[in-house]
Amino acid sequence: MTDLFEYISVMFSYTFILRALIAGALVSLCAALLGVSLVLKKYSMIGDGLSHVGFGAIALATALNFAPMKFTVPVVIVAAVLLLRVSESSKIKGDSAIAMISTGALAVGILAASMTTGMNTDINSYLFGSILAMTKEDVVLSAVLSVVVIILFIVFYNKIFAVTFDENFAAATGTNVKAYNMLIAVLTSVTVVLGMRMMGALLISSLIIFPSLTAMRVCKKFKSVIFVSAVVSVLCFVVGLIISYIASTPTGATVVVLNIAVFLIFAAAGKIINK
Amino acid sequence: MALITCENVSLGYEGLTVAKDISFSIDQGDYLSVIGRNGSGKSTLLKALLRIKNPERGRVVYGDGLKQSEIGCLAQQTPVQKDFPASVFEVVLSGRAPKRGLMPFYSKADKKQALDKMELLGITNLKERCFRELSGGQQQRALLARAMCAAEKILFLDEPVTGLDPVVTTEFFNIINEMHKNGMTIVMVSHDIHCAVKYSGRIIHMDGGILFDGTVDEYKKSKIGAEFIGGHRHD
Ligand SMILES: Nc1ncnc2c1ncn2[C@@H]1O[C@H](COP(=O)(O)OP(=O)(O)O)[C@@H](O)[C@H]1O
Ligand SMILES: [Mg+2]
């Protein structure tokens, strides 16, 4: 046991691991907060679509020698606004529109990356994530943006509940539903881009979806769902990071598998509680 | 100036007109019942009055300084998903959300307001229960409490007594009467003509447009009123 602790303390003495820990935990927290609203509004596909757009944008930024984050964040925000528009206008068309945008962005990203690096490790790390990808600036940016996301979420918590629970009532009683939907979409874009480097474009949306679904298995209050999913998300990330270091597994995939395991445990617990 | 004025409003879905040439106004202190058979466009009109549905033609104007955040409403069907996790208290309290403006948290007064309305509707004991696990009648009362939390000047109700038992229905109308006496403007959609005639002061009868608009007494004396009331007599 003491060996394990020693091992872990050595692990966190590495700067890159410490960076990954800080940025990853903050992003996991943001993803869990936003995820509750996205899942309940049946917008989880938007998170998935955004991650593909993020991949395309980051590959393009690398190809064109742009600063990756500064290019990707605005592009994904624009995509979020577009995706929200189409999914608000009509359900079925919205689904295919999301699929079109995400596969299109994926294709652009692969082309851009193959032209510059020849489809090698870079693209692998975009798609499946790499904790080595985090630079010091990335960590600072992640920390600042995460704090902004968390503060906005707390400040607008009651409005977000109202808009998520019953959009019609919220609109009829004078809440600017469109603005809050937009706020959620923009915050999601930022979170997706931040998490993508580490978790990978293909895996980041699971960080949004799993913790809230897990919490909903057992919680009956909105507030407790938010709280439990935040805790589950951060814990899964930290434990996943440690396991991936010890077992030399890819961090993103390890975190996702851990999330699935916790989901199954909560689902079983929910079944027992509700009996 | 009236609270709400409809000017030549036509309503429809994807080009299919449901009701047309609707012009009337709602004054402060009205107790208005909108009646008509199923599918006659009552709920659609209510959505237009709440300005969550744009009319195909004409316009809905708010006057007398009426703000959207002073409105309370209870929709006919609230599309709450089966697995939405929320306690009854959270749902009722969300009626106060529009009053907060950009202030982040609910005040003590907000919480007291929510508790008072729950007391009034006899659902205090359901406070911590999960909304989705309640019976239809209990959900209806929770949503009504939320509407009452939101309503400062005007309260819109669409078939509010659906799913309530007769005792609770009578209690419900007494509560609405009390609110009306205290200055609340009430607009209620109903296909129960007897309750409409018994409790409200003004009747609008709809069917693809407005067939009648006047006081309850005028309605009883009118041909359409006599027919509709007579045709609906169950006893
Ligand atoms: N969302 C909708 N899309 C298309 N048609 C609708 C929709 N809602 C209502 N309608 C149609 O509009 C008409 C009026 O409906 P409604 O206003 O709900 O009537 P009421 O409340 O008087 O029963 C009906 O014929 C109904 O089928
Ligand atoms: Mg109706």
Side-chain angles (χ1 to χ4, degrees), chain A residues 40 42 154-159 161-162 164-166 168-169 171-175 180 216 219-223 225, chain B residues 52 68-69 71 73 78 80-81 84-87 90-91 94 97-98 101-102 104-106 128 130-131 133 146 150:
Chain A
L40 288 172
K42 305 216 170 11
I154 292 171
V155 168
F156 293 118
Y157 169 82
N158 291 323
K159 298 288 200 306
F161 172 84
T164 309
F165 180 72
D166 185 350
N168 275 340
F169 179 84
T173 54
T175 300
Y180 285 100
M216 279 173 216
C219 301
K220 306 198 165 193
K221 274 198 206 181
F222 194 73
K223 209 168 248 169
V225 169
Chain B
I52 50 178
Q68 196 93 40
S69 60
I71 292 173
C73 68
T78 304
V80 182
Q81 305 135 38
F84 199 106
S87 70
E90 283 178 317
V91 170
S94 72
L102 289 178
F105 306 109
Y106 290 119
E128 298 299 330
C130 185
F131 180 80
E133 289 169 2
R146 177 183 68 163

Side-chain angles (χ1 to χ4, degrees), chain A residues 9-266:
Chain A
S9 70
V10 169
M11 165 187 170
F12 286 122
S13 67
Y14 291 116
T15 321
F16 77 96
I17 300 253
L18 210 55
R19 280 182 193 157
L21 177 75
I22 295 167
L26 285 169
V27 170
S28 304
L29 183 58
C30 294
L33 295 180
L34 293 164
V36 174
S37 197
L38 288 172
V39 166
L40 288 172
K41 287 171 91 61
K42 305 216 170 11
Y43 281 172
S44 16
M45 275 311 289
I46 290 186
D48 202 46
L50 290 181
S51 60
H52 292 107
V53 173
F55 164 76
I58 213 162
L60 208 58
T62 315
L64 300 173
N65 248 334
F66 292 153
M69 290 298 218
K70 286 191 191 112
F71 178 73
T72 310
V73 171
V75 167
V76 176
I77 288 178
V78 170
V81 173
L82 282 177
L83 285 176
L84 201 64
R85 282 274 158 78
V86 285
S87 49
E88 265 172 359
S89 58
S90 153
K91 284 267 140 59
I92 303 160
K93 275 190 234 149
D95 262 13
S96 2
I98 292 177
M100 270 165 59
I101 293 179
S102 50
T103 49
L106 206 56
V108 169
I110 291 171
L111 276 183
S114 67
M115 282 193 307
T116 46
T117 64
M119 280 293 275
N120 47 34
T121 41
D122 263 3
I123 205 148
N124 203 24
S125 85
Y126 295 153
L127 284 174
F128 303 109
S130 158
I131 51 170
L132 300 172
M134 301 300 283
T135 64
K136 197 177 162 201
E137 287 85 73
D138 285 348
V139 176
V140 172
L141 193 62
S142 299
V144 171
L145 288 178
S146 304
V147 168
V148 171
V149 169
I150 292 163
I151 289 176
L152 285 176
F153 191 88
I154 292 171
V155 168
F156 293 118
Y157 169 82
N158 291 323
K159 298 288 200 306
I160 289 173
F161 172 84
V163 169
T164 309
F165 180 72
D166 185 350
E167 231 178 77
N168 275 340
F169 179 84
T173 54
T175 300
N176 191 342
V177 171
K178 285 223 168 87
Y180 285 100
N181 281 340
M182 201 54 82
L183 177 73
I184 293 171
V186 169
L187 297 182
T188 305
S189 323
V190 174
T191 306
V192 162
V193 175
L194 292 178
M196 213 173 62
R197 307 293 292 283
M198 208 177 332
M199 293 292 296
L202 295 182
L203 296 175
I204 177 65
S205 57
S206 63
L207 223 55
I208 291 174
I209 299 166
F210 270 110
S212 50
L213 284 177
T214 300
M216 279 173 216
R217 292 313 102 198
V218 294
C219 301
K220 306 198 165 193
K221 274 198 206 181
F222 194 73
K223 209 168 248 169
S224 45
V225 169
I226 299 271
F227 183 75
V228 169
S229 68
V231 171
V232 163
S233 184
V234 173
L235 278 184
C236 281
F237 177 79
V238 174
V239 175
L241 183 66
I242 293 172
I243 291 176
S244 75
Y245 174 79
I246 294 171
S248 310
T249 49
T251 310
T254 311
V255 172
V256 174
V257 169
L258 210 55
N259 264 300
I260 295 173
V262 175
F263 172 81
L264 292 176
I265 294 169
F266 273 60

Side-chain angles (χ1 to χ4, degrees), chain B residues 149-193:
Chain B
C149 279
E152 279 170 23
K153 283 192 182 161
I154 184 163
L155 179 60
F156 289 90
L157 303 158
D158 196 347
E159 314 274 6
V161 295
T162 315
L164 302 185
D165 60 52
V167 178
V168 180
T169 300
T170 311
E171 262 170 34
F172 163 79
F173 277 110
N174 290 338
I175 293 167
I176 298 296
N177 269 346
E178 197 62 31
M179 289 174 78
H180 179 240
K181 268 190 215 136
N182 291 331
M184 186 71 71
T185 306
I186 311 281
V187 178
M188 186 176 328
V189 165
S190 165
H191 64 247
D192 183 344
I193 175 69

Side-chain angles (χ1 to χ4, degrees), chain B residues 3-151:
Chain B
L3 273 186
I4 301 180
T5 310
C6 272
E7 295 172 357
N8 297 312
V9 167
S10 290
L11 299 163
Y13 295 93
E14 276 130 41
L16 216 73
T17 303
V18 170
K20 58 180 184 186
D21 297 331
I22 300 170
S23 295
F24 70 99
S25 50
I26 300 166
D27 292 312
Q28 175 88 49
D30 271 359
Y31 188 157
L32 168 64
S33 282
V34 179
I35 59 166
R37 58 173 184 84
N38 279 329
S40 57
K42 306 182 296 291
S43 297
T44 309
L45 174 64
L46 208 65
K47 282 180 200 149
L49 292 175
L50 291 167
R51 298 210 281 206
I52 50 178
K53 175 165 181 50
N54 286 327
E56 288 179 330
R57 238 179 298 137
R59 54 192 199 128
V60 176
V61 186
Y62 285 7
D64 271 352
L66 178 65
K67 290 197 286 267
Q68 196 93 40
S69 60
E70 293 167 328
I71 292 173
C73 68
L74 175 62
Q76 185 170 17
Q77 275 167 337
T78 304
V80 182
Q81 305 135 38
K82 261 178 63 195
D83 49 357
F84 199 106
S87 70
V88 171
F89 187 57
E90 283 178 317
V91 170
V92 176
L93 196 55
S94 72
R96 301 293 303 170
K99 322 289 177 214
R100 301 301 301 154
L102 289 178
M103 297 294 290
F105 306 109
Y106 290 119
S107 65
K108 277 218 177 75
D110 290 328
K111 288 180 185 159
K112 184 171 184 309
Q113 169 90 258
L115 289 172
D116 286 350
K117 303 303 182 208
M118 287 168 67
E119 179 81 52
L120 201 60
L121 290 163
I123 51 170
T124 307
N125 58 333
L126 303 176
K127 186 179 169 214
E128 298 299 330
R129 286 279 299 280
C130 185
F131 180 80
R132 64 175 183 225
E133 289 169 2
L134 302 181
S135 74
Q138 289 170 327
Q139 286 189 348
Q140 186 77 349
R141 276 188 277 172
L143 294 176
L144 188 59
R146 177 183 68 163
M148 287 162 74
C149 279

